[in-house]
Amino acid sequence: MKIIYFSQTGNTEKMANLILQGIESEGKKAELIEVSSASIDDVINEEIIILGCSAYGSEELDDSEMEPFVESLARKIQGKKVALFGSWGWGNGEWMTEWEKRMESYGAILISEGLTVQESPEGEDEDRCISFGKLIAK
Ligand SMILES: Cc1cc2nc3c(=O)[nH]c(=O)nc-3n(C[C@H](O)[C@H](O)[C@H](O)COP(=O)(O)O)c2cc1C
């Protein structure tokens, strides 16, 4: 499994690390990759793809790195299981619902609803991230 993420200030990165912790607690392995270092080869042979990106622009994905990467997945991820996550600040979560619809339009199968956390995951939100990782690993 690969966890490919974008994080400007570290909030989504913290989520990624907690999700990894959940996956590993189920005895599975995953690799964390910043999207700036990721390529299509990182997903092509994976059965499960985990993508994280915080809300930017106006309820959008980061347009410098994550947006072009997601665009490159079109027609490449039919039938693959995908899990989405990310941190947000003040919006209504629309970036995540749009992202979910887009991945489904690419033929991906969403493992669950996207996991969203406001700003940095703390307390219960940390537990939600770990549980999300466990769910993906099962
Ligand atoms: C330029 C800019 C645009 C943002 N746009 C949104 C937005 O549209 N909706 C939202 O909920 N949060 C928005 N945020 C807040 C970030 O999504 C939030 O701070 C998040 O925790 C950042 O996570 P990261 O450190 O993983 O990048 C924006 C932040 C910045 C700096």
Coordinates of all heavy atoms in Angstrom, one line a residue, residues 98-138:
E98 N -16.3 16.5 -3.7 CA -16.0 16.6 -5.2 C -14.9 15.6 -5.5 O -14.9 15.0 -6.6 CB -15.5 18.1 -5.5 CG -16.6 19.1 -5.5 CD -17.8 18.7 -6.4 OE1 -17.5 18.3 -7.6 OE2 -19.0 18.8 -6.0
W99 N -13.9 15.5 -4.7 CA -12.8 14.6 -4.9 C -13.3 13.1 -5.0 O -12.9 12.3 -5.8 CB -11.7 14.8 -3.8 CG -10.4 14.2 -4.1 CD1 -10.0 13.7 -5.3 CD2 -9.3 14.0 -3.2 NE1 -8.7 13.2 -5.2 CE2 -8.3 13.4 -3.9 CE3 -9.1 14.4 -1.8 CZ2 -7.0 13.1 -3.3 CZ3 -7.9 14.1 -1.2 CH2 -6.9 13.4 -1.9
E100 N -14.2 12.8 -4.0 CA -14.8 11.5 -4.0 C -15.5 11.2 -5.4 O -15.3 10.1 -6.0 CB -15.8 11.3 -2.9 CG -15.1 11.3 -1.5 CD -16.1 11.4 -0.4 OE1 -17.2 11.9 -0.6 OE2 -15.8 11.0 0.7
K101 N -16.3 12.1 -5.8 CA -17.1 11.9 -7.0 C -16.1 11.8 -8.2 O -16.3 10.9 -9.1 CB -18.0 13.2 -7.3 CG -19.2 13.2 -6.5 CD -20.1 14.3 -7.0 CE -20.8 15.1 -5.9 NZ -21.2 16.4 -6.2
R102 N -15.1 12.5 -8.2 CA -14.1 12.5 -9.3 C -13.4 11.1 -9.3 O -13.3 10.5 -10.4 CB -13.1 13.6 -9.1 CG -12.1 13.7 -10.2 CD -11.4 15.0 -9.9 NE -10.2 15.2 -10.8 CZ -9.3 16.1 -10.6 NH1 -9.4 16.9 -9.6 NH2 -8.2 16.1 -11.4
M103 N -13.0 10.6 -8.2 CA -12.3 9.3 -8.2 C -13.3 8.2 -8.6 O -12.9 7.3 -9.4 CB -11.8 8.9 -6.8 CG -10.8 9.9 -6.2 SD -9.5 10.4 -7.4 CE -8.5 8.9 -7.4
E104 N -14.6 8.3 -8.2 CA -15.6 7.3 -8.7 C -15.8 7.4 -10.2 O -15.9 6.4 -10.9 CB -16.9 7.5 -8.0 CG -16.8 7.0 -6.5 CD -18.1 7.1 -5.7 OE1 -18.8 8.1 -5.9 OE2 -18.3 6.2 -4.9
S105 N -15.7 8.7 -10.7 CA -15.9 8.8 -12.2 C -14.7 8.2 -12.9 O -14.8 7.9 -14.1 CB -16.0 10.3 -12.6 OG -14.8 11.0 -12.5
Y106 N -13.5 8.1 -12.2 CA -12.4 7.4 -12.8 C -12.5 5.9 -12.7 O -11.5 5.1 -13.0 CB -11.1 7.8 -12.1 CG -10.7 9.3 -12.3 CD1 -9.6 9.8 -11.6 CD2 -11.3 10.1 -13.2 CE1 -9.1 11.1 -11.8 CE2 -10.9 11.4 -13.4 CZ -9.8 11.9 -12.7 OH -9.4 13.2 -12.9
G107 N -13.5 5.4 -12.0 CA -13.7 3.9 -11.9 C -13.2 3.4 -10.6 O -13.1 2.1 -10.4
A108 N -12.7 4.2 -9.7 CA -12.1 3.7 -8.4 C -13.3 3.3 -7.5 O -14.4 3.8 -7.6 CB -11.3 4.8 -7.8
I109 N -13.0 2.4 -6.6 CA -13.9 1.9 -5.6 C -13.5 2.6 -4.3 O -12.4 2.2 -3.8 CB -14.0 0.4 -5.5 CG1 -14.3 -0.2 -6.9 CG2 -14.9 -0.1 -4.4 CD1 -13.8 -1.6 -7.1
L110 N -14.4 3.4 -3.7 CA -14.0 4.1 -2.5 C -14.2 3.1 -1.3 O -15.3 2.5 -1.2 CB -14.8 5.3 -2.2 CG -14.6 6.5 -3.3 CD1 -15.5 7.6 -3.0 CD2 -13.1 6.9 -3.3
I111 N -13.2 2.9 -0.5 CA -13.2 2.0 0.6 C -14.2 2.5 1.7 O -14.9 1.8 2.3 CB -11.8 1.8 1.2 CG1 -10.9 1.1 0.2 CG2 -11.9 1.0 2.6 CD1 -9.5 1.0 0.6
S112 N -14.2 3.8 1.8 CA -15.1 4.4 2.8 C -15.3 5.9 2.4 O -14.6 6.4 1.5 CB -14.6 4.3 4.2 OG -14.1 5.5 4.7
E113 N -16.1 6.6 3.1 CA -16.2 8.1 2.9 C -14.8 8.7 3.2 O -14.1 8.1 4.1 CB -17.1 8.7 3.9 CG -18.5 9.0 3.4 CD -19.4 9.7 4.5 OE1 -18.9 10.5 5.2 OE2 -20.5 9.3 4.5
G114 N -14.5 9.7 2.6 CA -13.2 10.4 2.9 C -13.1 10.9 4.3 O -14.1 11.3 4.9
L115 N -11.9 10.7 4.9 CA -11.7 11.1 6.3 C -11.3 12.6 6.3 O -10.2 12.9 5.7 CB -10.7 10.3 7.0 CG -10.3 10.7 8.4 CD1 -11.5 10.4 9.3 CD2 -9.1 9.9 8.8
T116 N -12.0 13.4 7.0 CA -11.7 14.9 7.1 C -11.5 15.3 8.5 O -12.2 14.8 9.4 CB -12.7 15.8 6.4 OG1 -14.0 15.6 7.1 CG2 -12.9 15.4 4.9
V117 N -10.5 16.1 8.8 CA -10.2 16.6 10.1 C -10.0 18.1 10.0 O -9.3 18.6 9.1 CB -8.9 15.9 10.7 CG1 -8.4 16.7 11.9 CG2 -9.2 14.5 11.1
Q118 N -10.5 18.9 11.0 CA -10.3 20.3 10.9 C -8.9 20.6 11.5 O -8.6 20.3 12.7 CB -11.4 21.0 11.7 CG -11.3 22.5 11.5 CD -12.5 23.3 12.1 OE1 -13.2 22.7 13.0 NE2 -12.8 24.5 11.6
E119 N -8.1 21.3 10.7 CA -6.7 21.7 11.1 C -5.9 20.4 11.6 O -6.0 19.4 11.0 CB -6.7 22.8 12.1 CG -7.4 24.1 11.6 CD -6.7 24.8 10.4 OE1 -5.6 24.4 10.0 OE2 -7.4 25.7 9.8
S120 N -5.2 20.6 12.7 CA -4.3 19.5 13.1 C -5.1 18.4 13.8 O -5.9 18.7 14.7 CB -3.2 20.0 14.0 OG -2.4 19.0 14.5
P121 N -4.9 17.1 13.5 CA -5.6 16.1 14.3 C -5.1 16.0 15.7 O -3.9 15.8 15.9 CB -5.4 14.8 13.5 CG -4.1 15.1 12.7 CD -4.0 16.6 12.5
E122 N -6.0 16.2 16.7 CA -5.7 16.0 18.1 C -6.8 15.2 18.7 O -7.9 15.2 18.3 CB -5.7 17.4 18.8 CG -4.9 18.5 18.1 CD -3.4 18.3 18.2 OE1 -2.9 17.4 19.0 OE2 -2.6 18.9 17.4
G123 N -6.4 14.5 19.8 CA -7.4 13.8 20.6 C -8.2 12.8 19.8 O -7.7 11.9 19.2
E124 N -9.6 13.0 19.9 CA -10.5 12.1 19.2 C -10.1 12.0 17.7 O -10.3 10.9 17.1 CB -11.9 12.5 19.3 CG -12.6 11.9 20.4 CD -14.1 12.3 20.5 OE1 -14.7 12.6 19.4 OE2 -14.6 12.4 21.6
D125 N -9.7 13.1 17.1 CA -9.4 13.1 15.7 C -8.2 12.2 15.4 O -8.1 11.6 14.3 CB -9.2 14.5 15.2 CG -10.5 15.2 14.9 OD1 -11.5 14.6 14.8 OD2 -10.5 16.5 15.0
E126 N -7.2 12.1 16.3 CA -6.1 11.2 16.2 C -6.6 9.8 16.1 O -6.2 9.0 15.3 CB -5.1 11.4 17.3 CG -4.4 12.7 17.3 CD -3.4 12.8 18.5 OE1 -3.9 12.9 19.6 OE2 -2.2 12.8 18.2
D127 N -7.6 9.5 17.0 CA -8.1 8.1 17.0 C -8.9 7.8 15.7 O -8.8 6.7 15.2 CB -9.1 7.9 18.2 CG -8.4 8.1 19.6 OD1 -7.2 7.9 19.6 OD2 -9.1 8.4 20.6
R128 N -9.6 8.8 15.2 CA -10.3 8.6 13.9 C -9.3 8.2 12.8 O -9.6 7.4 12.0 CB -11.1 9.8 13.6 CG -12.4 10.0 14.5 CD -13.0 11.4 14.2 NE -13.5 11.5 12.8 CZ -13.3 12.6 12.0 NH1 -12.6 13.6 12.5 NH2 -13.7 12.6 10.8
C129 N -8.2 8.9 12.8 CA -7.2 8.6 11.8 C -6.6 7.2 11.9 O -6.5 6.4 10.9 CB -6.0 9.6 11.8 SG -6.5 11.3 11.4
I130 N -6.4 6.8 13.2 CA -5.8 5.4 13.4 C -6.9 4.4 13.0 O -6.6 3.4 12.3 CB -5.4 5.3 14.9 CG1 -4.2 6.2 15.2 CG2 -5.0 3.8 15.2 CD1 -3.9 6.3 16.6
S131 N -8.1 4.6 13.3 CA -9.2 3.7 13.0 C -9.4 3.6 11.5 O -9.7 2.5 10.9 CB -10.6 4.1 13.6 OG -10.5 4.2 15.0
F132 N -9.2 4.7 10.8 CA -9.3 4.8 9.3 C -8.2 3.8 8.7 O -8.5 3.1 7.8 CB -9.1 6.2 8.8 CG -9.5 6.5 7.4 CD1 -10.8 6.4 6.9 CD2 -8.5 6.8 6.5 CE1 -11.1 6.7 5.6 CE2 -8.8 7.1 5.2 CZ -10.1 7.0 4.7
G133 N -7.0 3.9 9.3 CA -5.9 3.1 8.8 C -6.3 1.6 9.0 O -6.0 0.7 8.2
K134 N -6.8 1.3 10.2 CA -7.2 -0.1 10.5 C -8.3 -0.6 9.5 O -8.2 -1.7 9.0 CB -7.8 -0.2 11.9 CG -6.7 0.0 13.0 CD -7.3 -0.2 14.3 CE -6.3 0.1 15.4 NZ -6.5 -0.5 16.7
L135 N -9.3 0.3 9.2 CA -10.3 -0.1 8.3 C -9.7 -0.4 6.9 O -10.1 -1.4 6.2 CB -11.3 1.1 8.2 CG -12.4 1.0 7.1 CD1 -13.5 0.0 7.7 CD2 -13.0 2.3 6.8
I136 N -8.8 0.4 6.5 CA -8.2 0.2 5.1 C -7.4 -1.1 5.1 O -7.4 -1.9 4.1 CB -7.2 1.4 4.8 CG1 -8.0 2.7 4.6 CG2 -6.4 1.1 3.6 CD1 -7.2 3.9 4.6
A137 N -6.8 -1.5 6.2 CA -5.9 -2.6 6.3 C -6.7 -3.9 6.3 O -6.2 -5.0 6.0 CB -5.0 -2.6 7.5
K138 N -8.0 -3.9 6.7 CA -8.8 -5.1 6.9 C -9.3 -5.7 5.6 O -9.4 -5.0 4.7 CB -9.9 -4.8 7.9 CG -9.5 -4.9 9.3 CD -10.6 -4.7 10.3 CE -10.0 -4.7 11.7 NZ -10.8 -4.0 12.7

